[in-house]
Amino acid sequence: MKLHGRKRKKKRNAEKLHAKGVDAFRELDIDKDGRVSIEEMRSHTEFDIDRNGEVAPEEAKEYLEDNEFVDETLFMEKVWPSIREIYTTAKPAEQKKGDDEETPTPDEEEEEETEEEPETPPTPSTSESKDTQTDEEMPEYNDETKALIEAADEARKNFEEVDEKIKDFKKNIADLENDLKVDYGSRNEFKKVKENGCIEYTDREYTYKLCPFDKASQRPKDGGMETNLGYWGVWNGPSENPYSAMKYDKGQNCWNGPDRSVVVKISCGTENKIVSASEPSRCEYEFQFQTPAACGKALSDLNQTDPQHDEL
Ligand code: MAN
């Protein structure tokens, strides 16, 4: 009888978990088009794998199992199983008991059972009949089992902590390796531009953001989704001055058009600043960017001015 009760409970828990998945899908499908897209996934910070404060499209895509978007069936099949333990609903927490409680693990969910269970049919009176009435209670494990469960929990916790640290180390190593591959200018002068972080520029319609050597994006000035305009690609200046322009490419695809891209034209200025942003051709953008990093070159050029023009 006890077994039957547990089976039923398992089934109900599975149903509850499924319903939570369906709720999560509906919540993530912000534009209600029946699909969850990369952009929609990005609104949930729990998908920020590298914990840098924002969910990169690649991170969202990883959770979408490499799809640009998933419908409900695919979501339930492939995505929900891997996010259900980290997913936090934006809705007032109906399932949560306290505000400070973490996302329940499936195990804890079993304990959350509150629903009334129909009475278990009476059994012939045996010494087990007491058990039958306490169908809903967790089984009483013996001390040895309890100790084993505790040890397993502890081991799992330790493993997760170490695993997290390994992931952080791997990420750092990958970042450093990538950094070594980047050409920061003939005197490494653009390294500082990267270190100074992202720069924004707002025009009448959009706020443009440039994260040097990483990516460029655009979002409507009055709020809304960010559009990826491209990832760091190559130096794009003429052969005599390659460091006078950068190209960011492979951004979000333009409907019936190319993948978005940006050419960043660089000139000398007292601070890192985008002074204009335009879209000369649909989904092909151009930023004018000023930076002290571009000044040294100009000065050294001046020093090497052709003697014939000295009088100028
Ligand atoms: C969005 C923006 C524009 C772009 C159009 C193309 O509105 O990214 O800059 O021209 O899409 O459809």
Side-chain angles (χ1 to χ4, degrees):
M1 277 304 135
K2 194 168 186 169
L3 265 181
H4 278 138
R6 295 195 71 196
K7 253 190 188 169
R8 230 178 316 141
K9 198 159 141 188
K10 269 227 151 73
K11 189 167 165 247
R12 272 209 322 264
N13 275 324
E15 282 165 7
K16 267 180 124 182
L17 208 56
H18 183 86
K20 274 188 193 173
V22 173
D23 276 355
F25 176 83
R26 295 199 179 135
E27 196 173 284
L28 282 166
D29 180 15
I30 299 165
D31 63 6
K32 304 289 165 228
D33 67 346
R35 305 186 305 188
V36 169
S37 67
I38 290 179
E39 282 308 318
E40 286 166 333
M41 290 287 282
R42 295 183 66 201
S43 62
H44 270 250
T45 49
E46 57 272 37
F47 304 135
D48 180 11
I49 301 173
D50 62 10
R51 303 221 200 106
N52 71 343
E54 73 163 357
V55 183
E58 310 73 55
E59 291 171 326
K61 201 170 179 185
E62 190 157 331
Y63 279 111
L64 287 184
E65 297 289 322
D66 254 357
N67 294 296
E68 295 288 322
F69 43 76
V70 293
D71 63 10
E72 189 175 324
T73 315
L74 203 55
F75 179 85
M76 291 310 297
E77 200 179 303
K78 301 264 188 218
V79 181
W80 180 238
S82 62
I83 67 167
R84 67 182 192 197
E85 284 183 27
I86 57 161
Y87 184 76
T88 37
T89 176
K91 277 197 238 157
E94 329 107 56
Q95 311 95 323
K96 284 189 181 177
K97 289 175 202 161
D99 278 355
D100 54 351
E101 209 171 61
E102 293 190 330
T103 311
T105 63
D107 276 350
E108 284 166 337
E109 276 165 14
E110 280 210 15
E111 287 166 20
E112 277 181 25
E113 197 60 64
T114 51
E115 204 182 301
E116 275 306 315
E117 171 119 315
E119 278 299 315
T120 315
T123 42
S125 107
T126 67
S127 57
E128 260 190 25
S129 58
K130 194 164 174 269
D131 263 354
T132 315
Q133 279 155 12
T134 55
D135 206 18
E136 285 303 292
E137 286 169 19
M138 287 298 285
E140 249 312 305
Y141 294 121
N142 62 28
D143 287 350
E144 200 185 339
T145 313
K146 276 186 200 159
L148 282 174
I149 292 173
E150 238 169 65
D153 285 347
E154 182 67 17
R156 196 176 302 116
K157 198 174 127 237
N158 290 341
F159 168 78
E160 275 160 10
E161 276 171 19
V162 174
D163 195 42
E164 203 53 47
K165 280 192 189 141
I166 292 175
K167 275 189 201 142
D168 283 353
F169 279 131
K170 281 190 177 159
K171 162 104 192 18
N172 282 345
I173 292 171
D175 283 352
L176 288 171
E177 275 172 358
N178 282 335
D179 203 50
L180 284 174
K181 282 186 218 148
V182 177
D183 174 1
Y184 288 114
S186 51
R187 285 161 292 118
N188 245 6
E189 64 274 27
F190 285 95
K191 177 102 180 157
K192 202 138 188 64
V193 176
K194 179 190 166 132
E195 285 165 0
N196 281 346
C198 307
I199 304 122
E200 293 197 343
Y201 171 82
T202 303
D203 70 5
R204 275 189 315 159
E205 214 179 333
Y206 297 105
T207 293
Y208 291 91
K209 183 156 90 174
L210 175 66
C211 299
F213 302 95
D214 182 9
K215 68 174 190 180
S217 61
Q218 169 203 57
R219 64 175 188 275
K221 190 172 137 190
D222 302 319
M225 291 276 213
E226 192 172 90
T227 302
N228 183 347
L229 301 186
Y231 297 98
W232 160 246
V234 287
W235 287 107
N236 199 225
S239 55
E240 68 277 13
N241 190 7
Y243 302 113
S244 61
M246 295 166 152
K247 176 123 190 208
Y248 291 75
D249 56 13
K250 303 191 177 70
Q252 212 163 302
N253 183 260
C254 190
W255 189 73
N256 257 344
D259 288 346
R260 286 176 173 77
S261 63
V262 188
V263 170
V264 179
K265 300 220 162 142
I266 303 169
S267 59
C268 163
T270 51
E271 56 176 332
N272 293 327
K273 191 172 167 190
I274 298 172
V275 289
S276 76
S278 57
E279 193 176 343
S281 170
R282 193 166 155 262
C283 294
E284 292 176 358
Y285 303 81
E286 189 177 298
F287 295 174
Q288 298 291 338
F289 177 62
Q290 290 185 349
T291 171
C295 299
K297 178 81 177 95
L299 282 178
S300 62
D301 280 357
L302 272 181
N303 293 340
Q304 284 163 22
T305 310
D306 182 344
Q308 281 185 345
H309 293 120
D310 263 359
E311 72 273 16
L312 295 176

